[in-house]
Amino acid sequence: MLKLRNLTVAYGAIVALHGLDLEVPMAGITCIIGANGAGKTSLLAAVSGLVRYSCDEMSFGGKPVPKVAYRVVDSGIIHVPEGRQVFVNMSVEENLLMGAYHRRDVSGIKQEIEDVYETFPRLHERRKQMAGTLSGGEQQMLALGRGLMAAPKLLLLDEPSLGLAPNMVDLVFEVVQKIARRGVPVLLVEQNAAQALEVSDKAYVLETGRVVLSGAGRDLLENPRVRQAYLGIAE
Amino acid sequence: MFWQQVFNGLSAGGIYALIAVGFSLIYSIMRYINLAHGSLIMIGAYIGYAVVTATNFPLIPALLAAAAGTAIVSVIVERLAFRPIRVRGVSTLYILVSSMVVSILLQNLVMVIFGPSFRTLPQLVSDVPVVTHPINIARLDFYMMIVVVLSLVSLNFVLYRTKAGRAMRAVSFNPKAAALMGVNTDRVVSLAFALAGALAGIAGIFLGIKYSVYPQLGELILKGFVASVFGGLGSVAGAVVGGLALGVIEVFLIAYGSSSFSPVMIYALLVLILLLRPRGILGRIVEDKV
Amino acid sequence: MKRKRLIFVTLMLLVSMLFLTACGQTAGQGQGGAKSITIGELADLTGPTAVWGQAQDNELKILVDKWNAENQVKLNHKVYDYKANTQEAVSSFNKLADQEKVAVVFGTNNSNANLAFGPLAEAKKVPVLSHAIDPHSTTPAADKLNQYSFLTVASNIIQGKTMAAYTLDKLNLKKVGVLYDQGNSFATTMEQPFEEYFTGHGGTITAKEVFTSNDVDYSSQLTKIISTNPDAILLPNYYKQIALAAQQARKLGFKGVFLGHTGWPSQALLEMAGKDVEGSYFVNYGSFEDPQLQNLQKEYTDKYKKAPEINAAMIGESFAVFTDAVKKIGADKLAAMSLEQQRQALRDAFEKTRNVQGVMNNITIDPKTHRPETAKMAIITIKDAKFKFVETYQVK
Ligand SMILES: Nc1ncnc2c1ncn2[C@@H]1O[C@H](COP(=O)(O)OP(=O)(O)O)[C@@H](O)[C@H]1O
Ligand SMILES: [Mg+2]
C-alpha cells in the first residue's frame, strides 16, 4: 500500500497541495480526478521524487519512499509522466530499454520486451523507428510500454488519454485495465472522469490541492456533486 | 604537392576534430557551450608534460595518463562550477560565463605552477617519417590520425552501444524523463564530462607535441568551435567531419589561393555554410524543449 | 547597512583627501622629501613573450639599483605587465602616465604595443624609450615623426638590410623563400627591407607566404615554399613561430638554411626546435659571447642565477640614453622640475643623443627619425643546438 499523510507541495508562494491524505491499495486501479490545476500532477511528481515536498508519512509497502527520483524507481514505483515524454531522438526499442534502466536481470528484460511487444504490436512494427516520428497515440503506447519495462510494483499514470483520438482513448483504458488485472496496482490521474471512474476500484476527487471526496469508483459516479462538476450532468 | 597538401589538411583537421568532439559532446548532452574545454586541453598537455618529464613514459601510457588526469579535472570543474548552476535551473548563460571564468582560472593556475614560458615535451615519437615518397607523412601525424580514429570509434561505441551511453543520450533529450527511468542524472553528467575530459587530454598531448606546451594553448579551441559549428553543433560525427573539412579547406585556400586571404576566406565560408545549412553539415534536427 | 555606508563614505573622503594633498607636491618630491625621478616600464612578465620581458625587467632593476646606490637623486621605478597584449599595453601606458606620473616610459620590444601607445605618448607628452625594431614606432608614416617616441637599438630596416647583405656576400645564397606573420610589423618591417636589398643585389625571392598570429600550423605554406626549391627560408618571426615553422619544414623534407632576425635569440627556441634550426643564421643586436657584454652577463647571472636574454642588453641601451640625458640636464635640476617640465626636458635631451656608449653600440639618435640610422650587428649561427657568435657585421 502507498500511504501519504499530510502531503504538502509548494512552488514558491503557490501551494499546490495542502496537506493531503491518500491511500493506494496494492491491487486494482485507484484514480484521482480533478480539474486542470487541481494538483494531480504535483501529487505524482511528489511521490516519484521530481518535486520537493513535506509530509508526515510517505510509505510504500511499509517502507519510506526515497526523496530522489532515481531511487524511487528502485523501490518499484514507476511514474509515466504527463505528455508522454518519450526520448524523441532514440528508437522505439531504445526507449523501451531505457525503461528497464534500473534492472540488472538481462533475461528478464528480454522477456519483458517481448511481453510489451505482445501488448502493443504497433510498437513491434516500429521498433527501429525514432520515437519522435510516432503518432501521439503510439507515443502514449510507448510511454506505457516503457513504464512496464521497469517491472513496476506500482504504476503512476498521469493523464494517459490526454489529447488522443477516441478509439485510442478506449485502447488506453483497455490496456490500463489489463495491467491492473495482471497484478500491477495502478494510480491513475485523469481529467476524463467518466471513463476513469468506470474502471476504478477506488477514487479520490481533488480540488485546489485538497481531497474533497473519496470512495469506490462506482459510488462516485453516482455522487451528485461529481456528476455535476465532473461529468457535466445536471440533476 | 597536391596530395601532400591533402595530407597536411587532414593532419591539421584531425587536431581540430579532436578538439571539436569533446566540445560537441558536452554541447550535445548538456546543451551548453563549455568555454573551459580549451583550457582542459591545455591542462591535458601540461599533465602529459609533467608525467613524461617525471617518468619518461612512452606515448601510449602518456596518453592514458593525460586522458585520466584531464578527465578528473573535467569532472571537478563540472562539480564546482556548473552543477550548482544547473541544479538551480537558471539560464545556461550563467554556465557560459562560469565556463569562461573557469577557463581563465585554469590558465592562471597553470601560469602560477609552470610559469608562462613554452615547454617542450620530450620526444615521444621518432622523427623518421612513415613514408617520404610520394608524400611526406610524419610519424607523429600518422599516430595522431590513428588515435583520432580510435578515440572517435570508442566514443561512438560508448554512446550508441552501452547502457551508460544510452542513458547519456536520454539525459540529453529529457533529463526529467531519464530520472524517472532511474537514471542518476548527476552521475551521467559527470560521466559525460569525464569522457570529454579524456578526449581533451588526448588532444592536449598531441597539441603539446606538435605545437609545444604553453598556457594559451587552449586558445586553439576557437578552431575546434568553428569546426563543430561547421559540422553541426551538438553532433559528434559532425564535429569530426567539420574538423577534417576545416583543416583541408584551410590548407587548400593557402595552397591554391593566397595565404594572406585564407583567414578571411575561411570565416566567409563558414558564414556561407551557415546561411545555406543553418545546422551545419551534419547537424541533427534538435527538438525545441518546452 | 547604514553603518557600512557611513564607513564607506568616510573612507572615500579620506582617500580623496590624500589624493588632493599628493597632487599639490612637485613631481620630484617623494615621501620624506628625498629627491627622486619616477620612471615607468612596460614589460611582458606573464604573456607569451615573458622570457624577454622578464629579462628586460630584471636588468632594469639592476641598473636602477646601481643608479640609486651611486646618486643623490633616486629613481623611483614603476613596472606594469602588459602581457604582450596591445590593449593591456595601452591601459598600462595610461596608468603609468596618469596615475604613476612617470617622467619617462621604458617601452617594449613589442612593435605592435609600441605602435598602439605611440599616439598616447604624443597626446600626453610623455617621452618613450623603446628597444623595439619597428621603425614605425618613431615614424608612423613617411613624413610623420612621433615627437615623444625614441628607439635606442637597430631598427628592422637595418636588420633586414644587414641580413640580406650577409646572405648574399658571406653565405653566398641567392634563392630565398619567406614565411612571416602578416599581422605583425615585427615581421613585415624586416621582410620589406630584406626583400628590397636582396632582389636589388642579385638575389631572388622564390616564394612569399604569410600566416596570422594565432596560427600554429604552417605546413601548407611551407609545402608551397619548399616546392620552389629555395636555398634558404627567411623566418622573421617570434621564437615560438620560428620553432614550429622549422619543425614543420623539416618534417616536410626541407634541408636548407633558415634565416632570421632578432626574433630568434631565445633559449626557448633551442629547447623547442634545437636540431631543426641547426645551421641557421640570424642577425642580433649583440652576443653574450662578445667580450663587450661579459660584465652585464656576470652581474645578471649572479643576481638571478640564470642566463640573460639579449633583451637585458637592449634595455641597457635605453638606460644609457636615459642616464646620458639626465646627466646633461642635471639630475638635481630635473628632480626639481614639475612633471611636465621633466617630460619635456627629457624628450629634448633624447633627441640630442650623440655618441653615447651603450652596452652594445655607440648610439647616435637621428633627430629626423628618432632612431639610430646605422649599427653594427652580431651575426649568430646555431651549431650543436647552441647559439654561436660568428662575427659583427655592418652593412655599407
Ligand atoms: N513548476 C511549477 N511552478 C509553479 N507552479 C506550478 C508548477 N507546477 C504546477 N504549478 C501550479 O501548481 C498547481 C497544481 O498544478 P498541477 O499539479 O500541474 O495540477 P494538475 O496536474 O491537476 O493540472 C497549479 O496551480 C499550477 O499552476
Ligand atoms: Mg497535470
Side-chain angles (χ1 to χ4, degrees), chain A residues 38-51:
Chain A
K40 306 181 295 296
T41 299
S42 302
L43 170 61
L44 297 195
V47 174
S48 60
L50 285 182
V51 297

Side-chain angles (χ1 to χ4, degrees), chain B residues 92-252:
Chain B
T92 51
L93 191 65
Y94 290 98
I95 294 191
L96 188 79
V97 174
S98 180
S99 72
M100 199 153 70
V101 173
V102 167
S103 185
I104 295 167
L105 215 79
L106 288 177
Q107 247 186 56
N108 283 301
L109 187 75
V110 164
M111 196 97 87
V112 169
I113 301 175
F114 291 94
S117 48
F118 290 77
R119 309 277 173 152
T120 321
L121 276 162
Q123 188 158 22
L124 288 171
V125 178
S126 127
D127 268 349
V128 186
V130 185
V131 288
T132 53
H133 203 78
I135 62 168
N136 221 308
I137 295 186
R139 196 158 293 264
L140 174 66
D141 289 335
F142 183 67
Y143 288 170
M144 190 187 78
M145 300 284 214
I146 294 176
V147 171
V148 168
V149 171
L150 279 181
S151 359
L152 299 181
V153 167
S154 356
L155 177 66
N156 236 45
F157 180 82
V158 170
L159 280 180
Y160 290 95
R161 294 277 173 276
T162 67
K163 195 170 158 182
R166 202 185 301 127
M168 240 182 263
R169 285 182 296 132
V171 168
S172 91
F173 301 138
N174 192 335
K176 257 199 181 147
L180 290 180
M181 317 282 100
V183 177
N184 181 345
T185 44
D186 284 343
R187 256 230 312 264
V188 166
V189 170
S190 288
L191 182 62
F193 271 85
L195 279 178
L199 288 168
I202 291 169
I205 291 252
F206 281 111
L207 281 172
I209 300 176
K210 270 184 89 125
Y211 306 134
S212 85
V213 182
Y214 54 100
Q216 294 83 13
L217 184 66
E219 282 166 12
L220 279 168
I221 182 73
L222 197 66
K223 288 287 176 66
F225 181 63
V226 171
S228 52
V229 173
F230 225 63
L233 199 58
S235 150
V236 170
V240 179
V241 173
L244 294 177
L246 180 66
V248 172
I249 293 171
E250 232 179 23
V251 160
F252 273 80

Side-chain angles (χ1 to χ4, degrees), chain A residues 35-42 82 158-159 162 189 191:
Chain A
N36 208 359
K40 306 181 295 296
T41 299
S42 302
E82 190 175 12
D158 197 347
E159 309 218 28
L162 189 73
V189 159
Q191 275 191 68

Side-chain angles (χ1 to χ4, degrees), chain A residues 48 50 69-71 73 77-81 85-90 94-95 97-104 109 146, chain B residues 159-160 163-167 169-171 173-185 187-188 284-287:
Chain A
S48 60
L50 285 182
Y70 69 91
R71 294 233 183 86
V73 174
I77 301 177
I78 303 302
H79 179 172
V80 177
Q85 313 276 348
V86 296
F87 303 114
V88 287
N89 286 20
M90 286 171 134
E94 279 192 302
N95 266 277
L97 286 171
M98 272 314 294
Y101 181 82
H102 79 117
R103 294 174 65 172
R104 306 263 175 275
I109 294 172
R146 193 177 59 178
Chain B
L159 280 180
Y160 290 95
K163 195 170 158 182
R166 202 185 301 127
R169 285 182 296 132
V171 168
F173 301 138
N174 192 335
K176 257 199 181 147
L180 290 180
M181 317 282 100
V183 177
N184 181 345
T185 44
R187 256 230 312 264
V188 166
R284 68 162 190 238
I285 292 137
V286 179
E287 298 272 309

